[in-house]
Amino acid sequence: MAFGVFMHRSDSIYDDVPSERYQFPKQYLSRVRQCEGDWIVYLEPSKVRETRGYFAVAKVQEVVPDPRERDMFIAVIAPGTYLDFGEPVPFRDGGDVVERGVLNDVGAISGRAQAAVRILSPADFARIVERGLGGEDAVLPRVGDPASPGGFADAPAPFEHLSTGERIRQLASRAVRDRNFRKSVLRVYGERCAITGLRLINGGGRAEVEAAHIKPVEAGGPDIVSNGIALSGTAHWMFDRGLVGLDDDLGVLVSRQANDAGAIRSMINPSGRLLVPRRPSEQPRSEFVAWHRANCFKH
């Protein structure tokens, strides 16, 4: 087994759904097979406008022939392992190249960096995941914020560089996944409630908006941006309880069972539709929206 890099772009000609599958031609089969049962990071090419760089991590469950296309194969992503990085990692960070394995003997970027699939060293994997997960910062909710202490506060602990094994264990942590899901969703929605359109920042500089799963984790919903919406606390409460929902065109629906439907409608932004991210790949996926409407929304 080995770590790997899978290059992906949202307008790819391949039949990719990064959280579920990665399609590739036969020329990469031997490399992808090395990653079977292990973790990979996704990289958006530098040629993509406003590239996200290394933007997610996932585990390859198995590699199978594509039944629809000859000489094409599918890397099946293990369910529940895909995670968008809360802090996408640029290929170049100032003068530093995060993935040291693409450098040649004189420290220049080699042609290996152009390979759509390549093996990643454990050190490079840990370094990319460390930067992608980041730490707790101002994007976190204010709930549970400690009061400002009087007198002298303790100096902050230095950032801990964890081993590769410890980084992998982090990827299964519900707390880490929730934190990164929130970071990812708030980033693509500009920290703005997608239903009301309000962007409120509290006195501590933190966004007064939450990341809502469209299909809950408890029901098998993944921790991906397209299964998330940025919502204010009230809108999140109403969405989870089915008082508001979404139609197929992302119009906001109000339940007929709501006690004060008029008041709810007055909270919805003037367009009457969800305010979504610009990138289509980051917008709510239709299957999650349909699941919420069928299983949560009170018709």
Side-chain angles (χ1 to χ4, degrees):
M1 296 192 296
F3 300 113
V5 172
F6 287 3
M7 205 173 286
H8 167 79
R9 53 190 298 164
S10 57
D11 59 352
S12 171
I13 61 172
Y14 295 105
D15 183 24
D16 295 345
V17 179
S19 61
E20 299 174 6
R21 63 182 182 271
Y22 184 80
Q23 186 190 46
F24 61 93
K26 189 174 183 179
Q27 71 188 85
Y28 293 117
L29 180 59
S30 63
R31 295 181 194 173
V32 177
R33 283 208 185 281
Q34 291 182 65
C35 301
E36 198 168 18
D38 221 327
W39 293 83
I40 59 93
V41 293
Y42 281 108
L43 171 64
E44 197 167 57
S46 57
K47 293 180 180 179
V48 173
R49 185 179 179 184
E50 298 178 1
T51 177
R52 294 171 291 172
Y54 304 93
F55 65 89
V57 62
K59 187 176 183 179
V60 177
Q61 177 172 287
E62 61 179 333
V63 179
V64 297
D66 190 328
R68 297 163 298 177
E69 293 191 53
R70 185 179 179 182
D71 291 331
M72 297 294 289
F73 294 82
I74 298 290
V76 179
I77 301 302
T81 63
Y82 178 95
L83 184 65
D84 287 303
F85 285 146
E87 301 176 17
V89 182
F91 180 78
R92 289 179 181 270
D93 190 1
D96 185 26
V97 175
V98 181
E99 187 185 346
R100 308 282 169 77
V102 300
L103 301 178
N104 60 23
D105 293 340
V106 295
I109 296 175
S110 68
R112 189 169 180 269
Q114 302 301 315
V117 175
R118 53 185 183 263
I119 302 304
L120 189 65
S121 73
D124 281 347
F125 175 82
R127 187 180 305 110
I128 292 168
V129 172
E130 175 183 300
R131 298 194 184 191
L133 296 183
E136 297 186 9
D137 57 18
V139 78
L140 296 176
R142 71 174 181 179
V143 176
D145 280 357
S148 299
F152 295 101
D154 292 335
F159 189 83
E160 186 177 3
H161 296 281
L162 302 178
S163 68
T164 303
E166 290 167 325
R167 286 292 171 200
I168 291 173
R169 284 189 286 276
Q170 271 195 320
L171 296 175
S173 163
R174 188 68 253 163
V176 171
R177 297 184 72 87
D178 283 345
R179 184 182 72 212
N180 271 264
F181 178 74
R182 176 177 167 81
K183 284 184 177 182
S184 300
V185 171
L186 266 61
R187 184 183 68 253
V188 302
Y189 280 86
E191 300 180 346
R192 186 180 304 278
C193 175
I195 286 180
T196 66
L198 295 176
R199 183 179 186 273
L200 301 175
I201 306 298
N202 68 26
R206 297 189 176 193
E208 292 281 10
V209 70
E210 302 168 358
H213 284 85
I214 302 171
K215 183 177 182 180
V217 172
E218 295 78 9
D223 296 307
I224 59 178
V225 167
S226 57
N227 185 37
I229 314 174
L231 297 175
S232 67
T234 300
H236 190 173
W237 181 86
M238 293 190 298
F239 187 78
D240 283 353
R241 283 154 183 76
L243 298 179
V244 294
L246 301 169
D247 64 25
D248 290 337
D249 295 320
L250 301 183
V252 181
L253 303 172
V254 178
S255 170
R256 287 180 289 184
Q257 298 184 39
N259 290 335
D260 193 342
I264 295 176
R265 291 191 182 94
S266 71
M267 296 172 58
I268 300 171
N269 75 83
S271 74
R273 302 180 70 252
L274 204 69
L275 301 176
V276 298
R278 179 174 50 82
R279 286 175 179 253
S281 62
E282 296 171 341
Q283 297 172 8
R285 271 172 43 186
S286 58
E287 61 263 40
F288 302 136
V289 170
W291 186 94
H292 181 274
R293 194 168 59 244
N295 294 276
C296 295
F297 182 64
K298 296 175 180 176
H299 295 270

